[in-house]
Amino acid sequence: MSATPTVPTVLKARALLLDMDGTLVNSDAVVERIWRRWAAAHGFDAEYVLSVAHGRQAHATLAELLPERPMEENYADNARMLAEETSDVEGVVAVPGAPRFLESLVAGGVAHALVTSADLALSTARMGAAGLAYPAVRVTAENVGASKPDPEGFLKGAAELGVDPADCVVFEDSGAGIAAGCSAGMRVVGVGPRALGHGATVCVPDLSGVRVEVLGRGEVALHVGDV
């Protein structure tokens, strides 16, 4: 799939799989605080660390940054950082258009699931801080064995909804997440500036650029850039 910011575009689907951080929720302030502290403590350039960290579970980021380090240490740091992030919601807000977008999915009975690298506690805290309804179907860090860019999370989301992967559209903001969606055989709407250049089907600045039209018989049309 080639990356293009060209709009308007109409994508038909039977289910939507939604990333959280950077897609529904702007948690950049927290993510940057946590990872800048880690970078300073370990002698890494913070901007490089942040370029790797977005969209992944922390243990996967640490494995890339410190390939010789035992995974047990990465998992321990992962648990500690998750606890820090869960207790820190200062600056966490909804991405523009996210409240209306989610409300339209619920009102229209559109099949959708949250697929996030956060665990249940962190995703609950951030969705609540942003004032967003938590989807009834969700795939969190506890439910997968591999972090994005592995497609496992999106494939599990599709299976939970009973929809073929080819009939799903993913919403993602990061290179790792977009790669996961593409590897799952799904079309991807890239959200925000981090999504550009990573192979998304189409990109929008935020969710205010997406309108959901319910077509019936379980199908929806996503009007991307034509609202």
Side-chain angles (χ1 to χ4, degrees), residues 100-101 171 189 204 206-212 222-225 227:
R100 177 190 57 81
F101 177 70
F171 284 75
V189 175
V204 288
D206 55 53
L207 291 172
S208 62
V210 181
R211 178 171 61 86
V212 179
L222 300 170
H223 297 264
V224 184
V227 296

Side-chain angles (χ1 to χ4, degrees), residues 26-45:
N26 184 342
S27 56
D28 285 2
V30 181
V31 173
E32 292 201 6
R33 281 196 293 273
I34 298 293
W35 282 105
R36 285 186 187 281
R37 284 201 297 267
W38 185 91
H42 293 82
F44 276 81
D45 175 73

Side-chain angles (χ1 to χ4, degrees), residues 83-158:
E84 288 181 21
E85 290 183 274
T86 302
S87 63
D88 182 358
V89 293
E90 183 179 352
V92 174
V93 297
V95 166
R100 177 190 57 81
F101 177 70
L102 285 174
E103 288 165 8
S104 71
L105 300 185
V106 174
V110 179
H112 66 286
L114 188 73
V115 181
T116 175
S117 295
D119 65 4
L120 181 61
L122 178 57
S123 57
T124 300
R126 286 187 175 165
M127 291 290 282
L132 298 175
Y134 202 148
V137 178
R138 58 261 191 165
V139 178
T140 59
E142 298 95 333
N143 306 131
V144 296
S147 174
K148 299 171 185 175
D150 192 282
E152 180 185 1
F154 287 124
L155 292 172
K156 283 196 169 184

Side-chain angles (χ1 to χ4, degrees), residues 48-99:
Y48 173 69
V49 169
L50 287 168
S51 74
V52 176
H54 284 292
R56 304 169 185 257
Q57 293 186 44
H59 66 77
T61 298
L62 294 169
E64 182 162 333
L65 295 171
L66 299 167
E68 304 303 319
R69 191 189 201 205
M71 281 304 296
E72 291 79 5
E73 293 183 33
N74 294 339
Y75 285 121
D77 272 0
N78 188 104
R80 177 183 56 77
M81 295 169 85
L82 276 174
E84 288 181 21
E85 290 183 274
T86 302
S87 63
D88 182 358
V89 293
E90 183 179 352
V92 174
V93 297
V95 166

Side-chain angles (χ1 to χ4, degrees), residues 1 9-19 23 101 105 110-113 115 154 158 161 163-172 181-182 184-191 201-202 210 220-224:
M1 299 180 186
T9 300
V10 178
L11 301 174
K12 291 184 179 180
R14 294 190 176 278
L16 309 184
L17 302 177
L18 315 173
D19 174 52
T23 302
F101 177 70
L105 300 185
V110 179
H112 66 286
V115 181
F154 287 124
L161 295 171
V163 178
D164 188 272
D167 291 325
C168 295
V169 170
V170 166
F171 284 75
E172 264 287 359
C182 291
M186 302 172 183
R187 292 153 295 161
V188 181
V189 175
V191 181
T201 309
V202 64
V210 181
V220 298
L222 300 170
H223 297 264
V224 184

